[in-house]
């Protein structure tokens, strides 16, 4: 079970970041225009975030095993199509399909863990979150190595043998269950796709093309309309996709908000740190990618300890301590200046890595706060909060970075703001998860 959980989390998160370094090679081979190249990078997250709530509902209706296998099959087939794509149009279509498969995988994986006893659930969710954090850090490294020493198609083709292996494991390790008497809630599902899909589009393209551009304004309007339609649909539905009463559960809402604040801070830092390391500190592209490896290693090494710490101190104190460490690492990174090297960088990276590992009880606390029959949608809400907060974090930190009169000064200011958001998450965790 844990191998399925970790592999699924790693594969789906890796495809968020692994492609960025390969974009120049893709542009050269396929003769793609810059606008089309942007879609290669963003199409995956668009369907991933937009369909995740619907994927969670499907897991609740049809059972996690069936939905997980369907998602893994779609993701693996789409990865094969992307790796063999001979045109930019085929590649973008395959990336959209990859995201749709991932939107089934993540909430189904969490729903499968929800039925386990508390200790197993805590360990499983910790593995899932750690694998995602490690993939987030290692994505640029893997993408850079494959692009430099192999064809760019291997950025996607590596998912094929991994996907086949995880399908075989999931078929054996995940028990087959079905939630009787549940309906899909088609109106809620459609509204959630509009709400999340349009909002994701606006966050991706707002900073780059301007928040007043016609496409972004239309997306923001669609997001607002989708949110209103979703609220109305869930209020009227006899068996709503997302029971709004879940948000009255302090542990559930506090955990989701803390996850959002962590994502706002950390994802913005990851995105702009790679630019800072090369443009200000003078790191090579390879050294810039390797700078994230200690963070990923510490997440993997410390994560097994986190559930035990949570059992002794409580989830609230453990997560809060982790978020304080993450914020301290960000504040330390904000002091970096031109000419600094590994000696100044590593303490900040290590603090963020250890702190992120200690936040792993967050997912188990959220899942443990809801009935098992709602675990799929709860997992979808939690996963969406992570993905969308990451996009919003990149956009928000970007506004600070570009408005400060210089990249280095803007980067430091953005880090301090991100650290403040993470500290707010620590306070919320301490109050709601204890």
């Amino acid at each position: 079970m844990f191998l399925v959980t970790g592999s699924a989390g790693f594969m789906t998160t890796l495809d968020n970041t692994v492609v960025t370094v390969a974009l120049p090679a893709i542009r050269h081979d396929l003769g793609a225009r810059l606008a089309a190249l942007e879609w290669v990078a963003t199409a995956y997250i668009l369907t991933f975030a937009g369909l995740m709530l619907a994927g969670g509902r499907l897991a609740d209706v049809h059972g996690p095993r069936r939905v997980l296998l369907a998602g893994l099959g779609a993701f693996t087939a789409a990865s094969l199509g992307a790796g063999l794509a001979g045109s930019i149009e085929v590649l973008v279509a395959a990336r959209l399909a990859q995201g749709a498969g991932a939107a089934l995988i993540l909430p189904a994986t969490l729903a499968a863990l929800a039925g386990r006893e508390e200790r197993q659930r805590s360990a499983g969710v910790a593995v899932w979150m750690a694998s995602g954090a490690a993939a987030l850090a290692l994505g640029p490294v893997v993408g850079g190595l494959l692009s430099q020493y192999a064809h760019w198609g291997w950025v996607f083709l590596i998912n094929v043998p991994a996907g086949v292996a995880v399908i075989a494991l999931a078929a054996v390790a995940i028990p087959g269950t079905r939630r009787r008497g549940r309906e899909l809630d088609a109106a809620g599902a459609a509204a959630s796709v509009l709400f999340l899909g349009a909002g994701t589009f606006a966050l991706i393209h707002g900073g780059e093309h301007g928040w007043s551009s016609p496409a972004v304004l239309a997306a923001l309007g669609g997001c607002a309309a989708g949110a209103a339609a979703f609220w109305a649909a869930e209020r009227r539905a006899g068996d709503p996709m997302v029971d709004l009463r879940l948000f009255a559960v302090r542990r559930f809402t506090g955990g989701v908000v803390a996850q959002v604040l962590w994502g706002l801070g950390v994802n913005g830092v990851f995105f702009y740190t790679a630019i800072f390391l090369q443009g200000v500190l003078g790191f090579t592209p390879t050294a810039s990618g390797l700078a994230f490896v200690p963070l990923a290693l510490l997440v993997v090494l410390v994560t097994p300890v986190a559930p035990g710490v949570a059992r002794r101190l409580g989830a609230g104190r453990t997560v809060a301590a982790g978020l304080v460490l993450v914020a301290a690492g960000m504040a330390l990174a904000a002091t970096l200046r031109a000419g600094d090297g590994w000696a100044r960088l590593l303490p900040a990276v290590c603090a963020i890595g250890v702190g992120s590992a200690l936040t792993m009880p967050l997912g188990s606390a959220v899942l443990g706060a809801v009935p098992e029959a709602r675990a799929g949608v709860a997992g979808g809400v939690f996963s969406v909060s992570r993905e969308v907060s990451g996009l919003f974090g990149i956009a928000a930190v970007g506004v600070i970075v570009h408005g400060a009169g210089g990249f280095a000064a803007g980067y430091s200011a953005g880090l301090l703001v991100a650290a403040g958001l993470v500290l707010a998450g620590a306070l919320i965790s301490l109050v709601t998860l204890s």
Side-chain angles (χ1 to χ4, degrees):
M1 167 67 87
F2 292 166
L3 187 55
V4 173
T5 300
S7 299
F10 188 85
M11 285 194 309
T12 52
T13 305
L14 187 73
D15 265 64
N16 260 342
T17 56
V18 73
V19 72
T20 53
V21 183
L23 290 176
I26 293 172
R27 183 180 188 183
H28 178 268
D29 283 3
L30 300 184
R33 294 178 294 107
L34 187 59
L37 210 63
E38 292 173 6
W39 276 100
V40 175
T42 60
Y44 178 82
I45 186 61
L46 188 63
T47 49
F48 189 13
L51 296 173
M52 208 176 307
L53 276 185
R57 178 62 171 194
L58 287 170
D60 285 341
V61 172
H62 297 290
R65 181 177 185 270
R66 184 179 298 181
V67 174
L68 177 59
L69 291 173
L72 286 168
F75 181 84
T76 304
S79 297
L80 179 63
L84 299 178
S87 70
I88 198 67
E89 293 80 10
V90 171
L91 180 55
V92 170
R95 290 285 286 165
L96 289 168
Q98 274 187 309
L104 298 177
I105 293 170
L106 244 59
T109 304
L110 289 176
L113 290 170
R116 302 281 171 148
E117 56 93 15
E118 183 178 354
R119 185 169 295 215
Q120 284 188 326
R121 184 182 70 236
S122 298
V125 175
V127 168
W128 176 80
M129 292 183 69
S131 65
L136 188 66
L138 292 176
V141 181
V142 174
L145 290 173
L146 289 174
S147 298
Q148 184 172 353
Y149 297 109
H151 186 266
W152 60 262
W154 282 102
V155 168
F156 308 108
L157 292 175
I158 57 171
N159 291 323
V160 177
V164 171
V166 177
I167 288 171
L169 286 170
V172 174
I174 308 296
T177 57
R178 179 183 173 88
R179 321 291 193 197
R180 301 293 180 184
R182 307 298 302 280
E183 297 178 357
L184 178 59
D185 181 18
S192 76
V193 172
L194 175 60
F195 163 46
L196 293 171
T200 302
F201 180 91
L203 285 173
I204 290 172
H205 295 285
E208 189 169 355
H209 300 296
W211 293 98
S212 60
S213 67
V216 173
L217 287 175
L220 290 172
C223 179
F230 182 74
W231 178 268
E234 300 310 276
R235 292 285 297 269
R236 289 196 304 266
D239 184 15
M241 182 172 77
V242 178
D243 189 344
L244 299 177
R245 290 174 297 181
L246 284 177
F247 292 97
V249 179
R250 186 181 69 171
R251 199 173 178 88
F252 176 80
T253 301
V256 170
V257 172
Q259 173 66 34
V260 167
L261 291 170
W262 178 86
L264 284 172
V266 170
N267 283 274
V269 169
F270 275 177
F271 184 83
Y272 287 101
T273 295
I275 301 172
F276 178 83
L277 292 178
Q278 295 180 54
V280 178
L281 299 190
F283 281 35
T284 64
T286 301
S288 176
L290 290 174
F292 294 102
V293 172
L295 189 156
L297 288 175
L298 283 169
V299 167
V300 172
L301 291 173
V302 178
T303 289
V305 180
V309 175
R311 283 192 294 272
R312 292 192 175 196
L313 301 181
R317 290 178 180 176
T318 304
V319 173
L323 290 172
V324 168
L325 265 178
V326 171
M330 292 177 176
L332 192 58
T335 66
L336 291 170
R337 297 292 182 266
D340 289 338
W342 288 97
R344 291 288 315 281
L345 175 65
L346 278 177
V349 170
C350 291
I352 294 173
V354 174
S356 295
L358 290 177
T359 67
M360 298 309 162
L362 194 58
S364 181
V366 168
L367 285 183
V370 303
E372 185 183 344
R374 298 282 182 183
V377 164
V381 171
F382 189 70
S383 300
V384 164
S385 71
R386 183 172 70 169
E387 299 303 324
V388 175
S389 68
L391 291 172
F392 191 79
I394 292 171
V397 173
V399 169
I400 299 169
V401 167
H402 296 303
F407 181 80
Y411 173 75
S412 295
L415 277 178
L416 292 175
V417 170
L421 293 171
V422 173
L423 283 177
L427 180 60
I428 290 169
S429 299
L430 194 60
V431 171
T432 61
L433 302 182
S434 298

